[in-house]
Amino acid sequence: MAATLLSAVCSTTRLSVTKPSQQRAVSQGLRAVHRKSAMPVQAAAREVVSTDKAPGAVGPYSQAIKANGMVYISGQVGLVPGTKDFAGDSVEAQAEQVMKNMGAILEAAGSDWSKVVKTTILLVDMADFATVNTVYGKYFPEQPPARATFAVQGLPLGAKVEIEATALL
């Protein structure tokens, strides 16, 4: 295998390795790189996160997935857990419930707000940006995560705001 890899590297990079000592050195280096880049089998493991303190999925997806030291939280809308009712009609009430739901999922996953690294906010009306920002900011008073905010034509069940997150465990 090392000879085949050595040949491929040399032809790809136009590297001329003619002396046996050069061939041994390159082969040893390639083997070292291969050993360091091989992923352990357990790194591919994933675990579904579910809690009754947040609304259940309204489709074929999980509330969150833990994998490789991260938790990926599906988009949350402002439904009150255990019901199909929004916390209120206002975007402020829905945003507050979204954050409560997300906090419950973070806790169930073994993470917390300080470990959130990225969020995505979806808004039906970009005029609600400042209102949602005020609610959102209460949960990230220092060193907020990276974020993107998009205006969308509609959200599930007629929600006004949806937020997804990625966090460290």
Short mmCIF file of all heavy atoms in Angstrom, two decimals, residues 108-163:
data_model
loop_
_atom_site.label_atom_id
_atom_site.label_comp_id
_atom_site.label_asym_id
_atom_site.label_seq_id
_atom_site.Cartn_x
_atom_site.Cartn_y
_atom_site.Cartn_z
N ALA A 108 -31.32 18.72 28.27
CA ALA A 108 -31.48 17.27 28.05
C ALA A 108 -30.26 16.67 27.36
O ALA A 108 -29.91 15.51 27.58
CB ALA A 108 -32.74 16.99 27.24
N ALA A 109 -29.59 17.47 26.54
CA ALA A 109 -28.41 17.00 25.82
C ALA A 109 -27.15 17.07 26.67
O ALA A 109 -26.12 16.51 26.28
CB ALA A 109 -28.22 17.83 24.55
N GLY A 110 -27.21 17.77 27.81
CA GLY A 110 -26.02 17.93 28.65
C GLY A 110 -25.21 19.15 28.26
O GLY A 110 -24.01 19.23 28.53
N SER A 111 -25.85 20.13 27.66
CA SER A 111 -25.17 21.36 27.25
C SER A 111 -25.87 22.55 27.90
O SER A 111 -26.74 22.37 28.76
CB SER A 111 -25.19 21.48 25.72
OG SER A 111 -24.36 22.53 25.28
N ASP A 112 -25.50 23.75 27.51
CA ASP A 112 -26.17 24.95 28.04
C ASP A 112 -25.94 26.12 27.08
O ASP A 112 -25.22 26.00 26.10
CB ASP A 112 -25.70 25.28 29.46
CG ASP A 112 -24.22 25.57 29.55
OD1 ASP A 112 -23.72 26.44 28.79
OD2 ASP A 112 -23.54 24.94 30.38
N TRP A 113 -26.55 27.25 27.40
CA TRP A 113 -26.49 28.43 26.54
C TRP A 113 -25.06 28.88 26.26
O TRP A 113 -24.78 29.36 25.16
CB TRP A 113 -27.28 29.58 27.16
CG TRP A 113 -28.75 29.33 27.20
CD1 TRP A 113 -29.51 29.08 28.31
CD2 TRP A 113 -29.65 29.27 26.09
NE1 TRP A 113 -30.83 28.88 27.95
CE2 TRP A 113 -30.94 28.99 26.58
CE3 TRP A 113 -29.49 29.43 24.72
CZ2 TRP A 113 -32.05 28.87 25.77
CZ3 TRP A 113 -30.60 29.31 23.90
CH2 TRP A 113 -31.85 29.04 24.42
N SER A 114 -24.17 28.76 27.22
CA SER A 114 -22.80 29.24 27.04
C SER A 114 -22.03 28.43 26.01
O SER A 114 -20.97 28.86 25.54
CB SER A 114 -22.04 29.23 28.37
OG SER A 114 -21.78 27.89 28.78
N LYS A 115 -22.54 27.27 25.64
CA LYS A 115 -21.84 26.39 24.69
C LYS A 115 -22.43 26.45 23.28
O LYS A 115 -21.97 25.75 22.39
CB LYS A 115 -21.86 24.95 25.21
CG LYS A 115 -21.08 24.80 26.52
CD LYS A 115 -21.17 23.40 27.04
CE LYS A 115 -20.46 23.29 28.38
NZ LYS A 115 -20.70 21.99 29.00
N VAL A 116 -23.44 27.29 23.08
CA VAL A 116 -24.03 27.43 21.75
C VAL A 116 -23.03 28.17 20.85
O VAL A 116 -22.53 29.23 21.21
CB VAL A 116 -25.38 28.18 21.81
CG1 VAL A 116 -25.92 28.44 20.40
CG2 VAL A 116 -26.38 27.39 22.64
N VAL A 117 -22.74 27.58 19.69
CA VAL A 117 -21.76 28.18 18.78
C VAL A 117 -22.38 28.79 17.53
O VAL A 117 -21.79 29.65 16.90
CB VAL A 117 -20.67 27.17 18.36
CG1 VAL A 117 -19.84 26.74 19.57
CG2 VAL A 117 -21.26 25.96 17.66
N LYS A 118 -23.61 28.37 17.17
CA LYS A 118 -24.25 28.89 15.95
C LYS A 118 -25.75 28.74 16.07
O LYS A 118 -26.25 27.72 16.55
CB LYS A 118 -23.75 28.10 14.74
CG LYS A 118 -24.46 28.36 13.42
CD LYS A 118 -24.07 29.70 12.82
CE LYS A 118 -24.52 29.89 11.38
NZ LYS A 118 -25.93 30.07 11.17
N THR A 119 -26.47 29.78 15.65
CA THR A 119 -27.93 29.70 15.57
C THR A 119 -28.37 30.22 14.20
O THR A 119 -27.65 30.98 13.54
CB THR A 119 -28.63 30.53 16.66
OG1 THR A 119 -28.29 31.91 16.50
CG2 THR A 119 -28.26 30.07 18.06
N THR A 120 -29.55 29.81 13.83
CA THR A 120 -30.20 30.34 12.64
C THR A 120 -31.63 30.71 13.02
O THR A 120 -32.33 29.90 13.63
CB THR A 120 -30.23 29.30 11.50
OG1 THR A 120 -28.90 28.89 11.21
CG2 THR A 120 -30.85 29.89 10.24
N ILE A 121 -32.00 31.94 12.72
CA ILE A 121 -33.34 32.43 13.02
C ILE A 121 -34.10 32.59 11.72
O ILE A 121 -33.59 33.17 10.75
CB ILE A 121 -33.29 33.79 13.76
CG1 ILE A 121 -32.53 33.66 15.08
CG2 ILE A 121 -34.69 34.34 14.00
CD1 ILE A 121 -32.34 34.96 15.83
N LEU A 122 -35.32 32.09 11.70
CA LEU A 122 -36.22 32.26 10.56
C LEU A 122 -37.40 33.12 11.02
O LEU A 122 -38.04 32.81 12.03
CB LEU A 122 -36.71 30.90 10.07
CG LEU A 122 -35.63 29.88 9.73
CD1 LEU A 122 -36.25 28.54 9.35
CD2 LEU A 122 -34.73 30.38 8.63
N LEU A 123 -37.66 34.17 10.28
CA LEU A 123 -38.76 35.09 10.61
C LEU A 123 -39.72 35.19 9.43
O LEU A 123 -39.29 35.31 8.28
CB LEU A 123 -38.22 36.50 10.89
CG LEU A 123 -37.33 36.68 12.12
CD1 LEU A 123 -36.72 38.08 12.12
CD2 LEU A 123 -38.13 36.43 13.37
N VAL A 124 -41.02 35.17 9.72
CA VAL A 124 -42.02 35.37 8.68
C VAL A 124 -42.03 36.84 8.26
O VAL A 124 -42.26 37.16 7.10
CB VAL A 124 -43.40 34.90 9.16
CG1 VAL A 124 -44.49 35.28 8.17
CG2 VAL A 124 -43.39 33.40 9.37
N ASP A 125 -41.74 37.73 9.20
CA ASP A 125 -41.76 39.17 8.92
C ASP A 125 -40.48 39.80 9.48
O ASP A 125 -40.27 39.83 10.70
CB ASP A 125 -43.00 39.81 9.57
CG ASP A 125 -43.19 41.26 9.20
OD1 ASP A 125 -42.27 41.87 8.62
OD2 ASP A 125 -44.27 41.79 9.51
N MET A 126 -39.64 40.33 8.59
CA MET A 126 -38.37 40.91 9.02
C MET A 126 -38.59 42.15 9.89
O MET A 126 -37.69 42.56 10.62
CB MET A 126 -37.50 41.23 7.80
CG MET A 126 -36.02 41.33 8.12
SD MET A 126 -35.35 39.91 9.01
CE MET A 126 -34.43 39.12 7.74
N ALA A 127 -39.79 42.69 9.89
CA ALA A 127 -40.11 43.81 10.79
C ALA A 127 -40.06 43.36 12.25
O ALA A 127 -39.96 44.20 13.15
CB ALA A 127 -41.49 44.38 10.44
N ASP A 128 -40.09 42.05 12.50
CA ASP A 128 -40.02 41.52 13.86
C ASP A 128 -38.58 41.30 14.35
O ASP A 128 -38.36 40.83 15.46
CB ASP A 128 -40.77 40.18 13.93
CG ASP A 128 -42.26 40.34 13.75
OD1 ASP A 128 -42.81 41.40 14.13
OD2 ASP A 128 -42.89 39.40 13.21
N PHE A 129 -37.62 41.66 13.51
CA PHE A 129 -36.20 41.42 13.82
C PHE A 129 -35.81 42.00 15.18
O PHE A 129 -35.22 41.31 16.01
CB PHE A 129 -35.32 42.01 12.72
CG PHE A 129 -33.85 41.75 12.89
CD1 PHE A 129 -33.28 40.58 12.43
CD2 PHE A 129 -33.03 42.69 13.50
CE1 PHE A 129 -31.92 40.34 12.59
CE2 PHE A 129 -31.68 42.46 13.66
CZ PHE A 129 -31.12 41.28 13.20
N ALA A 130 -36.11 43.26 15.44
CA ALA A 130 -35.70 43.92 16.68
C ALA A 130 -36.36 43.27 17.90
O ALA A 130 -35.71 43.08 18.94
CB ALA A 130 -36.03 45.41 16.64
N THR A 131 -37.62 42.90 17.78
CA THR A 131 -38.33 42.27 18.89
C THR A 131 -37.70 40.92 19.23
O THR A 131 -37.44 40.62 20.41
CB THR A 131 -39.82 42.08 18.54
OG1 THR A 131 -40.38 43.36 18.23
CG2 THR A 131 -40.59 41.46 19.69
N VAL A 132 -37.45 40.11 18.22
CA VAL A 132 -36.83 38.80 18.44
C VAL A 132 -35.41 38.98 18.99
O VAL A 132 -34.98 38.26 19.88
CB VAL A 132 -36.84 37.95 17.15
CG1 VAL A 132 -36.02 36.69 17.31
CG2 VAL A 132 -38.27 37.62 16.76
N ASN A 133 -34.69 39.97 18.48
CA ASN A 133 -33.33 40.25 18.96
C ASN A 133 -33.32 40.55 20.46
O ASN A 133 -32.41 40.12 21.17
CB ASN A 133 -32.77 41.45 18.20
CG ASN A 133 -31.48 41.16 17.53
OD1 ASN A 133 -31.09 40.01 17.38
ND2 ASN A 133 -30.81 42.20 17.11
N THR A 134 -34.31 41.28 20.93
CA THR A 134 -34.39 41.62 22.35
C THR A 134 -34.56 40.37 23.20
O THR A 134 -33.87 40.18 24.21
CB THR A 134 -35.54 42.61 22.61
OG1 THR A 134 -35.28 43.80 21.86
CG2 THR A 134 -35.66 42.96 24.08
N VAL A 135 -35.47 39.49 22.79
CA VAL A 135 -35.69 38.24 23.53
C VAL A 135 -34.44 37.36 23.45
O VAL A 135 -33.94 36.88 24.47
CB VAL A 135 -36.91 37.47 22.95
CG1 VAL A 135 -37.03 36.10 23.59
CG2 VAL A 135 -38.18 38.29 23.15
N TYR A 136 -33.92 37.19 22.26
CA TYR A 136 -32.74 36.36 22.01
C TYR A 136 -31.54 36.83 22.84
O TYR A 136 -30.82 36.04 23.44
CB TYR A 136 -32.43 36.42 20.51
CG TYR A 136 -31.23 35.67 20.02
CD1 TYR A 136 -31.34 34.38 19.53
CD2 TYR A 136 -29.98 36.28 19.98
CE1 TYR A 136 -30.25 33.70 19.02
CE2 TYR A 136 -28.87 35.60 19.48
CZ TYR A 136 -29.01 34.32 19.00
OH TYR A 136 -27.92 33.65 18.51
N GLY A 137 -31.34 38.14 22.88
CA GLY A 137 -30.20 38.72 23.59
C GLY A 137 -30.18 38.43 25.08
O GLY A 137 -29.11 38.39 25.69
N LYS A 138 -31.34 38.20 25.68
CA LYS A 138 -31.39 37.87 27.11
C LYS A 138 -30.70 36.53 27.40
O LYS A 138 -30.20 36.31 28.49
CB LYS A 138 -32.84 37.81 27.61
CG LYS A 138 -33.54 39.15 27.63
CD LYS A 138 -34.89 39.07 28.33
CE LYS A 138 -35.88 38.28 27.53
NZ LYS A 138 -37.25 38.32 28.09
N TYR A 139 -30.68 35.65 26.43
CA TYR A 139 -30.10 34.33 26.61
C TYR A 139 -28.61 34.29 26.26
O TYR A 139 -27.92 33.33 26.60
CB TYR A 139 -30.86 33.29 25.76
CG TYR A 139 -32.26 33.07 26.30
CD1 TYR A 139 -33.29 33.94 25.97
CD2 TYR A 139 -32.52 32.03 27.18
CE1 TYR A 139 -34.57 33.75 26.48
CE2 TYR A 139 -33.79 31.84 27.70
CZ TYR A 139 -34.81 32.71 27.34
OH TYR A 139 -36.07 32.52 27.87
N PHE A 140 -28.12 35.33 25.59
CA PHE A 140 -26.71 35.42 25.21
C PHE A 140 -26.17 36.79 25.58
O PHE A 140 -25.81 37.58 24.70
CB PHE A 140 -26.55 35.18 23.70
CG PHE A 140 -27.05 33.84 23.23
CD1 PHE A 140 -28.21 33.75 22.47
CD2 PHE A 140 -26.37 32.68 23.55
CE1 PHE A 140 -28.67 32.53 22.03
CE2 PHE A 140 -26.83 31.45 23.11
CZ PHE A 140 -27.99 31.37 22.35
N PRO A 141 -26.09 37.11 26.89
CA PRO A 141 -25.66 38.45 27.29
C PRO A 141 -24.19 38.74 26.99
O PRO A 141 -23.81 39.89 26.81
CB PRO A 141 -25.93 38.48 28.80
CG PRO A 141 -25.91 37.04 29.21
CD PRO A 141 -26.41 36.27 28.04
N GLU A 142 -23.36 37.70 26.93
CA GLU A 142 -21.94 37.87 26.63
C GLU A 142 -21.50 36.81 25.63
O GLU A 142 -21.98 35.69 25.66
CB GLU A 142 -21.11 37.73 27.91
CG GLU A 142 -21.36 38.82 28.93
CD GLU A 142 -20.52 38.63 30.18
OE1 GLU A 142 -19.53 37.88 30.14
OE2 GLU A 142 -20.87 39.25 31.19
N GLN A 143 -20.61 37.18 24.76
CA GLN A 143 -20.05 36.29 23.75
C GLN A 143 -21.13 35.47 23.04
O GLN A 143 -21.14 34.23 23.09
CB GLN A 143 -19.00 35.36 24.38
CG GLN A 143 -17.84 36.12 24.98
CD GLN A 143 -16.80 35.20 25.59
OE1 GLN A 143 -16.97 34.00 25.70
NE2 GLN A 143 -15.69 35.78 25.99
N PRO A 144 -22.06 36.15 22.37
CA PRO A 144 -23.13 35.43 21.67
C PRO A 144 -22.55 34.56 20.54
O PRO A 144 -21.47 34.83 20.03
CB PRO A 144 -24.01 36.55 21.12
CG PRO A 144 -23.13 37.74 21.04
CD PRO A 144 -22.12 37.60 22.15
N PRO A 145 -23.32 33.55 20.14
CA PRO A 145 -22.84 32.66 19.08
C PRO A 145 -22.92 33.34 17.71
O PRO A 145 -23.55 34.38 17.55
CB PRO A 145 -23.83 31.49 19.15
CG PRO A 145 -25.08 32.09 19.72
CD PRO A 145 -24.61 33.14 20.68
N ALA A 146 -22.30 32.70 16.74
CA ALA A 146 -22.49 33.14 15.35
C ALA A 146 -23.96 32.93 15.02
O ALA A 146 -24.63 32.08 15.61
CB ALA A 146 -21.60 32.29 14.43
N ARG A 147 -24.46 33.73 14.06
CA ARG A 147 -25.90 33.65 13.78
C ARG A 147 -26.21 34.12 12.37
O ARG A 147 -25.53 34.97 11.81
CB ARG A 147 -26.64 34.54 14.77
CG ARG A 147 -28.14 34.51 14.59
CD ARG A 147 -28.83 35.39 15.61
NE ARG A 147 -29.06 36.72 15.04
CZ ARG A 147 -29.65 37.69 15.68
NH1 ARG A 147 -30.04 37.53 16.94
NH2 ARG A 147 -29.84 38.85 15.12
N ALA A 148 -27.23 33.54 11.82
CA ALA A 148 -27.81 34.02 10.56
C ALA A 148 -29.30 34.20 10.80
O ALA A 148 -29.91 33.45 11.57
CB ALA A 148 -27.56 33.02 9.44
N THR A 149 -29.88 35.21 10.16
CA THR A 149 -31.32 35.45 10.25
C THR A 149 -31.87 35.59 8.83
O THR A 149 -31.30 36.33 8.03
CB THR A 149 -31.63 36.73 11.06
OG1 THR A 149 -31.04 36.61 12.35
CG2 THR A 149 -33.12 36.95 11.20
N PHE A 150 -32.94 34.86 8.56
CA PHE A 150 -33.55 34.88 7.25
C PHE A 150 -35.04 35.19 7.35
O PHE A 150 -35.70 34.75 8.28
CB PHE A 150 -33.41 33.52 6.56
CG PHE A 150 -31.99 33.10 6.34
CD1 PHE A 150 -31.36 32.24 7.22
CD2 PHE A 150 -31.27 33.56 5.23
CE1 PHE A 150 -30.05 31.85 7.03
CE2 PHE A 150 -29.96 33.17 5.03
CZ PHE A 150 -29.35 32.30 5.93
N ALA A 151 -35.54 35.89 6.36
CA ALA A 151 -36.98 36.07 6.21
C ALA A 151 -37.48 34.92 5.34
O ALA A 151 -36.86 34.58 4.33
CB ALA A 151 -37.29 37.40 5.55
N VAL A 152 -38.58 34.31 5.74
CA VAL A 152 -39.14 33.18 4.99
C VAL A 152 -40.62 33.47 4.70
O VAL A 152 -41.24 34.30 5.35
CB VAL A 152 -39.00 31.86 5.77
CG1 VAL A 152 -37.53 31.49 5.96
CG2 VAL A 152 -39.70 31.92 7.13
N GLN A 153 -41.15 32.76 3.73
CA GLN A 153 -42.55 32.98 3.35
C GLN A 153 -43.52 32.39 4.36
O GLN A 153 -44.62 32.90 4.54
CB GLN A 153 -42.80 32.40 1.97
CG GLN A 153 -44.15 32.78 1.43
CD GLN A 153 -44.28 32.42 -0.03
OE1 GLN A 153 -43.37 31.90 -0.64
NE2 GLN A 153 -45.43 32.70 -0.59
N GLY A 154 -43.14 31.33 5.03
CA GLY A 154 -44.01 30.70 6.02
C GLY A 154 -43.23 29.73 6.88
O GLY A 154 -42.14 29.31 6.52
N LEU A 155 -43.80 29.41 8.03
CA LEU A 155 -43.18 28.46 8.98
C LEU A 155 -44.23 27.42 9.38
O LEU A 155 -45.44 27.67 9.26
CB LEU A 155 -42.65 29.20 10.21
CG LEU A 155 -41.42 30.08 9.97
CD1 LEU A 155 -41.14 30.95 11.17
CD2 LEU A 155 -40.21 29.21 9.63
N PRO A 156 -43.79 26.28 9.90
CA PRO A 156 -44.73 25.23 10.30
C PRO A 156 -45.80 25.73 11.27
O PRO A 156 -45.50 26.51 12.18
CB PRO A 156 -43.84 24.19 10.97
CG PRO A 156 -42.49 24.40 10.38
CD PRO A 156 -42.40 25.89 10.13
N LEU A 157 -47.02 25.29 11.05
CA LEU A 157 -48.16 25.56 11.92
C LEU A 157 -48.50 27.05 12.03
O LEU A 157 -49.21 27.47 12.94
CB LEU A 157 -47.93 24.97 13.32
CG LEU A 157 -47.60 23.48 13.37
CD1 LEU A 157 -47.28 23.05 14.80
CD2 LEU A 157 -48.76 22.66 12.81
N GLY A 158 -47.94 27.87 11.14
CA GLY A 158 -48.21 29.31 11.18
C GLY A 158 -47.38 30.07 12.19
O GLY A 158 -47.71 31.18 12.58
N ALA A 159 -46.26 29.48 12.62
CA ALA A 159 -45.37 30.16 13.57
C ALA A 159 -44.83 31.45 12.97
O ALA A 159 -44.74 31.59 11.75
CB ALA A 159 -44.21 29.24 13.95
N LYS A 160 -44.45 32.38 13.84
CA LYS A 160 -43.88 33.65 13.39
C LYS A 160 -42.36 33.65 13.45
O LYS A 160 -41.71 34.47 12.80
CB LYS A 160 -44.44 34.79 14.25
CG LYS A 160 -45.93 34.97 14.06
CD LYS A 160 -46.48 36.11 14.87
CE LYS A 160 -47.97 36.23 14.56
NZ LYS A 160 -48.57 37.37 15.24
N VAL A 161 -41.78 32.72 14.25
CA VAL A 161 -40.33 32.64 14.41
C VAL A 161 -39.93 31.18 14.64
O VAL A 161 -40.67 30.42 15.28
CB VAL A 161 -39.84 33.55 15.56
CG1 VAL A 161 -40.47 33.18 16.89
CG2 VAL A 161 -38.31 33.54 15.67
N GLU A 162 -38.79 30.81 14.10
CA GLU A 162 -38.21 29.49 14.34
C GLU A 162 -36.71 29.69 14.52
O GLU A 162 -36.10 30.49 13.80
CB GLU A 162 -38.47 28.56 13.15
CG GLU A 162 -37.87 27.18 13.33
CD GLU A 162 -38.23 26.23 12.18
OE1 GLU A 162 -39.27 26.41 11.53
OE2 GLU A 162 -37.43 25.30 11.95
N ILE A 163 -36.14 28.98 15.48
CA ILE A 163 -34.69 29.09 15.72
C ILE A 163 -34.11 27.68 15.88
O ILE A 163 -34.67 26.85 16.58
CB ILE A 163 -34.38 29.93 16.99
CG1 ILE A 163 -35.01 31.32 16.88
CG2 ILE A 163 -32.86 30.04 17.19
CD1 ILE A 163 -34.85 32.19 18.12
#
